[in-house]
Amino acid sequence: MTQGSKAVAWLNLAFGTLNVVLGALALAAVWAFAAMFSQRTLAPAALLLGLGTGLLARASLPQARHYGALLALAATYAAAYYQQILMAAVRIAGTLGVPLLAALRESGLGMLALLARMAMSSSLLAWICAGMALATLGAWPFNRRGS
């Protein structure tokens, strides 16, 4: 392997990783948006988050398939936690009657993360674990047998 092809492989891996992580966070933001307007947790949406992240990892990281499966697992959990942080900010904004950006700025990441961790019930964690399993399954490298 030449030096140039190693650099290209590394850049492909870095871009694929960034694509999976940012895609998972975008899916979590959509989940938070839907939960905000329905005023419910929408815990089964964790399955859609996991499936979307897994398929995104499969498409973005075809050269590093096992790494893609592990990344999909971790990105799904991080995105679900991010969704809970957004929902904590929404709850604070609604309670205090301030805009969402003001609640995000004034609350701080530490308090929002603590509120998000406190809001995770055991049923929500079960849905998130199922979504993580679905993400791993969606990104797992299945080998096709030729005929």
Side-chain angles (χ1 to χ4, degrees):
M1 209 177 212
T2 65
Q3 199 69 345
S5 62
K6 285 182 183 179
V8 169
W10 185 84
L11 284 174
N12 284 338
L13 185 67
F15 180 72
T17 300
L18 186 66
N19 192 19
V20 171
V21 171
L22 292 180
L25 292 178
L27 287 171
V30 170
W31 178 14
F33 184 76
M36 179 177 62
F37 280 104
S38 70
Q39 296 181 355
R40 298 196 177 150
T41 306
L42 298 179
L47 297 176
L48 294 174
L49 173 69
L51 181 64
T53 304
L55 294 177
L56 186 62
R58 181 183 279 187
S60 298
L61 296 165
Q63 70 277 12
R65 297 177 295 177
H66 294 292
Y67 170 72
L70 289 174
L71 180 65
L73 177 96
T76 300
Y77 182 74
Y81 196 68
Y82 173 67
Q83 187 268 349
Q84 287 296 307
I85 287 174
L86 289 176
M87 290 309 298
V90 165
R91 281 187 222 102
I92 289 173
T95 302
L96 298 179
V98 297
L100 180 60
L101 290 176
L104 283 168
R105 182 178 47 245
E106 297 299 323
S107 300
L109 184 62
M111 185 172 89
L112 290 173
L114 178 65
L115 289 172
R117 192 172 56 226
M118 289 170 46
M120 282 196 185
S121 63
S122 58
S123 64
L124 178 62
L125 283 175
W127 282 106
I128 291 171
C129 288
M132 290 166 55
L134 196 56
T136 305
L137 189 64
W140 195 257
F142 293 109
N143 293 329
R144 295 183 198 173
R145 291 188 178 188
S147 52

